[in-house]
Amino acid sequence: MTIKALAFDLDGTLLVGEDLPDSNRDALRRARDAGMAIIIATARWRQMARWVADEIGVADPCIACSGAQVFDPARGEDAFDVRLPRDFAAELFELCDRERCIATVTFDERVLIKMDGEPPASVMRPEMRWTARLAGADAALPRIAAVQGSAVVRTIREQLAPRYADSVSVYDSIGPNGKIILTITNKGANKGIALSQACRHLGIAPEEAVAFGDAENDIEMFRVAGASVAMGQAETRVLKSASVVSRPHDEGGVAHAVEHLLRTGTVSGLV
């Protein structure tokens, strides 16, 4: 089957830290020029996905918030949008406000950062706002919450997640610093569902896409894509879920796999 789209996770896959390596940018531009759609698929927010897409020079639908949002930049609107349940969000915010943690919560256009002390302006993108409290900080329902802090993460896993297991999904994802971040979305949102929605929006089948990733929340995307590529540093479960394994992300894993794909028309045989 002809490959018509490539879907890329950001942290630990396409990005190294906060940077887009030149080799990855150039490889994706060559794939774009070969007629492939380039879909950014990240646990981060839509503006971050669009920044990377703009660097590459593409305007295809992007997957944000770990699959809770599919944004179509051509129309300036969502093709898919799923929010956390209101009662769960209220409990989560109360817990985060009570305990020491770092919580990043994405709403409509704003991304709120709750932490002890305001972060330096140099690390804050225009859409980001610091808040001392999450409760009551935004009237909209959140698309995603990402939480760090051992005590809060333990409480979420042991108490909140079991009670909301029918409506909320909790994943481990990899942050830009390489640390594990607890990522929380609606049960009806994951990167697999979102990739199917993005492909439908493009008028192609998910089987005509290749997915690239490195973390637990990329596995659902691997399952619906026609083929998948795990970065070499990924944990064992992710490696076993992928069609093939490339080099680690900081050793040119994406560029290596894309160049192989452009030469051969497939990711099979990648070494």
Side-chain angles (χ1 to χ4, degrees), residues 61-72 77-83 143 186-198 200-201:
C62 60
I63 297 167
C65 301
S66 206
Q69 181 184 25
V70 177
F71 181 74
D72 178 4
E77 62 186 24
D78 293 330
F80 184 68
D81 182 17
V82 181
R83 308 297 179 110
R143 292 188 172 102
N186 188 294
K187 198 78 170 181
N190 62 54
K191 287 188 180 181
I193 295 171
L195 180 59
S196 295
Q197 293 284 345
R200 184 177 297 113
H201 204 67

Side-chain angles (χ1 to χ4, degrees), residues 42-50 64-65 69 104 106 111 113 125 127-128:
T42 179
R44 294 213 248 178
W45 45 94
R46 181 256 299 172
Q47 294 94 329
M48 185 68 185
R50 285 304 311 149
C65 301
Q69 181 184 25
T104 305
T106 302
V111 180
I113 310 296
R125 296 179 60 84
E127 66 274 7
M128 298 168 69

Side-chain angles (χ1 to χ4, degrees), residues 87-145:
D87 51 350
F88 172 83
E91 287 198 52
L92 177 67
F93 292 173
E94 180 182 350
L95 172 64
C96 290
D97 288 345
R98 188 172 66 245
E99 302 288 347
R100 183 182 179 88
C101 69
I102 300 174
T104 305
V105 185
T106 302
F107 294 89
D108 289 324
E109 297 300 318
R110 292 203 306 171
V111 180
L112 294 183
I113 310 296
K114 185 271 175 186
M115 61 188 299
D116 292 341
E118 187 170 357
S122 60
V123 304
M124 299 289 281
R125 296 179 60 84
E127 66 274 7
M128 298 168 69
R129 299 288 186 275
W130 173 78
T131 182
R133 291 184 56 80
L134 289 168
D138 197 301
L141 286 175
R143 292 188 172 102
I144 188 172

Side-chain angles (χ1 to χ4, degrees), residues 135-207:
D138 197 301
L141 286 175
R143 292 188 172 102
I144 188 172
V147 183
Q148 300 177 71
S150 56
V152 171
V153 166
R154 184 168 56 251
T155 301
I156 292 170
R157 289 194 184 279
E158 295 177 358
Q159 298 180 26
L160 277 187
R163 286 196 289 109
Y164 288 93
D166 291 339
S167 58
V168 170
S169 294
V170 177
Y171 293 99
D172 285 342
S173 61
I174 309 297
N177 58 6
K179 294 183 178 179
I180 297 293
I181 299 174
L182 200 66
T183 301
I184 309 165
T185 61
N186 188 294
K187 198 78 170 181
N190 62 54
K191 287 188 180 181
I193 295 171
L195 180 59
S196 295
Q197 293 284 345
C199 288
R200 184 177 297 113
H201 204 67
L202 288 167
I204 64 176
E207 294 81 8

Side-chain angles (χ1 to χ4, degrees), residues 10-35:
L10 288 186
D11 296 307
T13 301
L14 193 56
L15 301 183
V16 177
E18 294 285 352
D19 298 324
L20 176 63
D22 292 344
S23 59
N24 287 350
R25 181 189 299 109
D26 294 344
L28 267 61
R29 286 176 177 172
R30 285 191 285 274
R32 172 204 64 191
D33 293 344

